[in-house]
Amino acid sequence: MARMIGSLLLLCGLQLVVGDVCPDDVEVDLCDTNPGEFSGSMGMTPNLTLLLIVLAFALPGRAKSWALLLPAVVLPSAVAGLSCGDVKEFYKTNQCCGSATMKELGTYPGAPTCPYNFQKPACSMAGPQTPRDLTANAPGDKVPKAITLTDTQANSLPLVNVHFHLGAEHKSEAYSDGTDSDAFDAGRRLATTGTVRPGWMCPTSSLNSTQLQAYTFQYCKGQVEVGKSYEIHYVHSSAGMDANDTDDVNADSLSDGLGGAANGRGLLNPMIVVQGQIFQIVNGAATVDDMLHGWTVVGHTDSVMYSGSTTGTSHDNSVCSPYAITWHVDKACHQVSPESFDNLCKQMKEMYGMDSDLYPHGSRILVDKQYVVKSEFVVPLS
Ligand SMILES: *[C@@H]1O[C@H](CO)[C@@H](O)[C@H](O)[C@H]1NC(C)=O
Ligand SMILES: *[C@@H]1O[C@H](CO)[C@@H](O)[C@H](O)[C@H]1NC(C)=O
Ligand SMILES: *[C@@H]1O[C@H](CO)[C@@H](O)[C@H](O)[C@H]1NC(C)=O
């Protein structure tokens, strides 16, 4: 989410740049003890644009990129009514005076208040997470507070995004080979291994050299290879919109990423269902004509549903996802020809102009049992 405008870090000890009208010597002008000089509203507006730009370059890593976005977003409301006295008061109350070291502070004066906290929750506070271990009787501790949506309900939600992960994020009896993920986690990346974290793989032991022969993909990018398995996610969201906004749920408008799912049409609390299906790319395997428009093109008779969250490698067992999402996951491995898989990427690119989702996403580490639902809440899809 790029909409995090609630807090900007100001730094003590940083030269405040406030243009001609405001004092520019921090220690002398902002920290003097004469209460009359700059207190109260003097109707002077510091050059906050400059201030924010300077701050943006002084800030570390992540905060910097947000701050660079801030002037345009924040200034119109922030500058109005902000006086030098406010800045001085802020500097003082945050005990910057006399502090030579850089110190991170909270919200700057005049900042708009944001009704939402977009910080990702600690797992101890978060709702039930995904991916869950789906092997029989795998334990979990959580009782879901959100209802799990059914297959019929999922089908009333427009498809907003399709993407795939290298390896399965979930684990089932059929996809349980952790050789690649173990190697990745141990830092033993193979020469052929890319940068994304692999998940669980379908077995390759019964495949012969013809079936495993390399294929040159024309449309899929990054680590898409014969023999590897991919968990495709079909994301359905009530915030979705069809191409011509006709309210026809079958006329989907797909795009890269999850922006359409989580904040489409301005909705902040959409209902989301993700259908997950695992495909192993094998030469000579079945041709599937349209893998893009849902998992209906191959059977998914061995599927379960449960309450979870978003996945991906920005979440693990300490930083959790803030979203409550229904999961429908097929526990079988489906073999598919490389041509069919490449055709999925071709459709994504040519029909919807997608690009970043032509690369496989990394797989989130299987979530610890204390952050996933109890096994009684993982039920056959209905
Ligand atoms: C504030 O500083 C910015 C950046 O230097 C400049 O573009 C802008 O004109 C200044 N505004 C005022 C009111 O001086
Ligand atoms: C590999 O397996 C496929 C499918 O069973 C078979 O058609 C093919 O002849 C086999 N190739 C070799 C070299 O064994
Ligand atoms: C959107 O409208 C155009 C023009 O009427 C039509 O060609 C296209 O098929 C429609 N797309 C969908 C997804 O309904």
Side-chain angles (χ1 to χ4, degrees), residues 163-361:
H163 64 269
F164 48 91
H165 293 257
L166 173 60
E169 294 200 288
H170 289 89
K171 183 187 184 189
S172 80
E173 281 80 3
Y175 36 92
S176 57
D177 182 342
T179 311
D180 287 7
S181 49
D182 286 350
F184 186 92
D185 293 345
R188 299 193 309 274
R189 291 182 200 175
L190 310 170
T192 53
T193 308
T195 52
V196 298
R197 182 181 184 276
W200 304 94
M201 298 288 167
C202 305
T204 52
S205 49
S206 65
L207 300 176
N208 65 34
S209 57
T210 313
Q211 290 171 304
L212 287 173
Q213 198 169 349
Y215 177 86
T216 304
F217 290 84
Q218 303 292 315
Y219 296 92
C220 296
K221 298 179 178 177
Q223 225 186 322
V224 176
E225 295 166 12
V226 173
K228 299 299 179 195
S229 303
Y230 298 85
E231 180 166 329
I232 303 185
H233 287 161
Y234 298 97
V235 184
H236 297 257
S237 171
S238 58
M241 184 157 56
D242 62 68
N244 293 339
D245 199 16
T246 56
D247 277 344
D248 174 0
V249 296
N250 294 315
D252 305 301
S253 176
L254 305 185
S255 60
D256 276 328
L258 293 178
N263 194 22
R265 296 188 289 118
L267 268 68
L268 281 177
N269 63 340
M271 280 183 272
I272 299 176
V273 175
V274 182
Q275 297 158 329
Q277 196 159 39
I278 288 75
F279 289 90
Q280 183 183 40
I281 303 178
V282 176
N283 283 309
T287 297
V288 180
D289 285 334
D290 182 5
M291 295 173 74
L292 181 62
H293 292 99
W295 67 349
T296 49
V297 290
V298 296
H300 50 270
T301 49
D302 188 16
S303 298
V304 293
M305 58 186 198
Y306 76 95
S307 272
S309 67
T310 54
T311 63
T313 47
S314 62
H315 308 109
D316 51 26
N317 278 313
S318 57
V319 176
C320 271
S321 161
Y323 295 99
I325 288 177
T326 288
W327 282 86
H328 297 169
V329 185
D330 187 343
K331 293 170 70 177
C333 277
H334 298 274
Q335 292 187 348
V336 69
S337 69
E339 292 83 359
S340 296
F341 205 89
D342 209 23
N343 189 55
L344 164 70
C345 294
K346 181 177 196 276
Q347 288 179 300
M348 290 164 81
K349 182 183 163 77
E350 293 184 350
M351 296 175 78
Y352 298 102
M354 296 166 75
D355 178 51
S356 57
D357 283 338
L358 305 182
Y359 292 83
H361 294 233

